[in-house]
């Protein structure tokens, strides 16, 4: 976040987020402390030494800022995403007229009491929450629902999001792209099941043979924006990497605040350095995976002996 964006955020928090300076600390410092804690997952004892404040002050400031940011939810979330027009010529999006965004869930590790851990344990054995998110093609969040236990199925979380009073809304004639974990229904377009889908399936030179595979590849390319969006979000806010020792209600509020700040930064900054860094890391990992694949192929070929017969 650059200086201009930081100053604008402070102004919005004062005007619309009901944030007020105290006798001992100004708004700018409150925002700086909270952003530092979110971006670096700094423990309270480290933050109090860095900003020369008591641990109680740091904790109170972070909780106060999180609530102020959430009050700006209506301003930061994309409320009316534009669907893909019928005359679109973009190679990725022209196949999905009426598309408004991609929808999926992600696991974010949390800290809960011993008695609640079975409900929050996912299939990988991690203690986490299942966060549902819907994003536009320019990687801004339309809707986010944190708080569900990671043991809950994706379809159940989606039903809850739709049924809520101010929940996820799908305008008539538009739809979201979803993966095979969701039901293919009105407003939600899933890929063909039982067919190749993930982009890695085609990176080894596999040729498309059926109409279903062609559709699945186009679907995967378009829906890949949601994976990048979650990746950039976690890259930006280190507090989402590992459990934070806050009450579970506060942890869910922190997730929501990180999403809103992500949208604000995307809206105000023309160049997102975190996205660029994330893409470089993904490209590096992809090159390493391709090199490992080629080494495995060469090892297999060289191990094939010549028959004496």
């Amino acid at each position: 976040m650059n200086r201009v964006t930081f100053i604008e955020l402070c102004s919005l928090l004062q005007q619309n987020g009901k944030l007020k300076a105290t006798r001992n600390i100004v708004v700018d410092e409150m925002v700086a402390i909270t952003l530092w804690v979110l971006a670096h997952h700094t423990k309270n004892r480290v933050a109090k030494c860095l900003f020369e404040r008591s641990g109680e002050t740091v904790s109170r400031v972070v909780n106060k800022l999180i609530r102020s940011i959430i009050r700006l939810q209506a301003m930061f979330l994309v409320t009316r995403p534009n669907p893909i027009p019928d005359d679109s010529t973009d190679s990725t999006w022209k196949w999905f007229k009426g598309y408004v965004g991609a929808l999926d869930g992600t696991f974010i590790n949390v800290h809960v009491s011993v008695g609640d851990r079975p409900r929050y344990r996912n299939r990988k054995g991690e203690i986490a929450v299942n966060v549902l998110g819907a994003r536009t093609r320019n990687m801004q969040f339309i809707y986010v629902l944190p708080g569900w236990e990671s043991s809950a199925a994706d379809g159940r979380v989606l039903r809850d999001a739709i049924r809520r009073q101010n929940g996820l809304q799908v305008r008539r004639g538009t739809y979201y792209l979803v993966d095979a974990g969701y039901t293919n229904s009105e407003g939600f377009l899933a890929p063909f099941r039982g067919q190749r889908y993930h982009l890695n399936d085609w990176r080894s030179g596999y040729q498309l043979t059926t109409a279903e595979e062609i559709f699945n590849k186009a679907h995967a390319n378009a829906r890949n924006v949601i994976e990048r969006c979650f990746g950039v979000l976690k890259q930006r806010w280190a507090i989402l990497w590992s459990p934070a020792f806050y009450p579970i209600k506060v942890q869910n509020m922190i997730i929501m605040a990180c999403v809103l700040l992500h949208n604000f930064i995307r809206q105000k900054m023309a160049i997102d350095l975190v996205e660029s860094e994330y893409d470089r890391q993904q490209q590096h990992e992809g090159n390493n995976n391709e090199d490992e694949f080629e080494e495995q192929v060469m090892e297999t070929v060289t191990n094939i002996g010549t028959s004496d017969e």
Side-chain angles (χ1 to χ4, degrees):
M1 181 183 297
N2 57 30
R3 183 177 299 179
V4 175
T5 307
F6 176 82
I7 293 174
E8 186 170 352
L9 176 61
C10 293
S11 177
L12 285 174
L13 288 171
Q14 286 181 283
Q15 296 174 7
N16 304 96
K18 300 180 180 180
L19 182 64
K20 298 180 180 179
T22 65
R23 184 178 60 182
N24 299 319
I25 184 169
V26 297
V27 169
D28 292 18
E29 187 177 358
M30 291 182 182
V31 177
I33 291 173
T34 304
L35 292 179
W36 184 271
V37 170
L38 297 180
H40 300 278
H41 198 181
T42 307
K43 298 296 186 288
N44 187 283
R45 63 180 179 271
V46 177
K48 73 176 184 178
C49 295
L50 181 64
F51 291 94
E52 298 182 353
R53 297 288 181 178
S54 67
E56 180 184 357
T57 299
V58 172
S59 179
R60 185 170 62 250
V61 164
V62 171
N63 279 272
K64 190 175 182 179
L65 255 294
I66 293 300
R67 286 170 170 79
S68 294
I69 293 170
I70 292 178
R71 292 192 186 101
L72 304 179
Q73 177 176 343
M75 298 179 62
F76 289 172
L77 289 179
V78 180
T79 55
R80 293 187 66 84
N82 297 321
I84 301 298
D86 293 340
D87 58 351
S88 175
T89 58
D90 188 279
S91 59
T92 300
W93 308 108
K94 65 182 180 180
W95 315 109
F96 302 101
K97 308 297 191 300
Y99 161 94
V100 291
L103 182 144
D104 199 2
T106 188
F107 293 142
I108 294 180
N109 293 341
V110 295
H111 179 78
V112 296
S113 62
V114 176
D116 290 333
R117 287 180 182 176
R119 296 190 295 118
Y120 286 88
R121 182 173 287 110
N122 59 26
R123 59 182 179 274
K124 296 181 179 179
E126 301 171 339
I127 307 300
V129 290
N130 190 347
V131 181
L132 176 70
R135 274 79 69 191
T136 63
R137 51 179 168 162
N138 61 350
M139 295 177 60
Q140 292 189 39
F141 284 87
I142 304 168
Y143 179 83
V144 62
L145 177 62
W148 268 93
E149 304 90 337
S150 61
S151 59
D154 290 340
R156 183 182 179 188
V157 179
L158 177 57
R159 286 195 299 272
D160 177 57
I162 296 173
R163 292 170 181 172
R164 289 178 176 243
Q165 183 177 0
N166 297 315
L168 178 66
Q169 298 180 358
V170 185
R171 287 180 289 168
R172 184 175 298 276
T174 64
Y175 58 88
Y176 290 92
L177 295 183
V178 297
D179 63 18
Y182 298 91
T183 302
N184 194 10
S185 58
E186 183 178 0
F188 303 97
L189 181 63
F192 286 98
R193 297 190 179 186
Q195 303 288 335
R196 292 177 182 265
Y197 178 70
H198 297 285
L199 295 178
N200 289 334
D201 294 340
W202 288 286
R203 286 175 181 167
S204 57
Y206 179 82
Q207 299 297 319
L208 302 174
T209 57
T210 65
E212 289 80 5
E213 288 184 347
I214 294 174
F215 173 84
N216 276 11
K217 185 177 181 181
H219 189 286
N221 279 326
R223 209 188 66 84
N224 188 50
V225 66
I226 199 168
E227 304 295 342
R228 293 183 66 244
C229 193
F230 272 136
V232 172
L233 177 70
K234 295 179 180 180
Q235 180 94 354
R236 191 188 309 279
W237 308 114
I239 199 168
L240 303 180
W241 297 356
S242 58
F245 287 86
Y246 294 97
I248 185 62
K249 182 178 179 180
V250 177
Q251 292 181 76
N252 289 327
M253 293 173 64
I254 288 174
I255 295 171
M256 188 67 184
C258 289
V259 168
L260 296 176
L261 289 172
H262 167 89
N263 267 21
F264 176 74
I265 293 172
R266 298 282 302 181
Q267 293 166 8
K268 300 301 180 181
M269 294 181 60
I271 300 176
D272 191 347
L273 298 179
V274 176
E275 180 186 359
S276 302
E277 178 62 24
Y278 174 78
D279 289 340
R280 280 195 295 268
Q281 292 182 4
Q282 292 298 108
Q283 184 178 6
H284 179 70
E285 293 177 2
N287 292 337
N288 288 342
N289 292 336
E290 290 179 2
D291 292 341
E292 292 177 2
F293 176 77
E294 291 179 1
E295 290 177 1
Q296 293 175 0
V297 171
M298 292 302 298
E299 182 180 354
T300 303
V301 171
T302 54
N303 288 336
I304 299 177
T306 309
S307 174
D308 293 336
E309 298 179 0

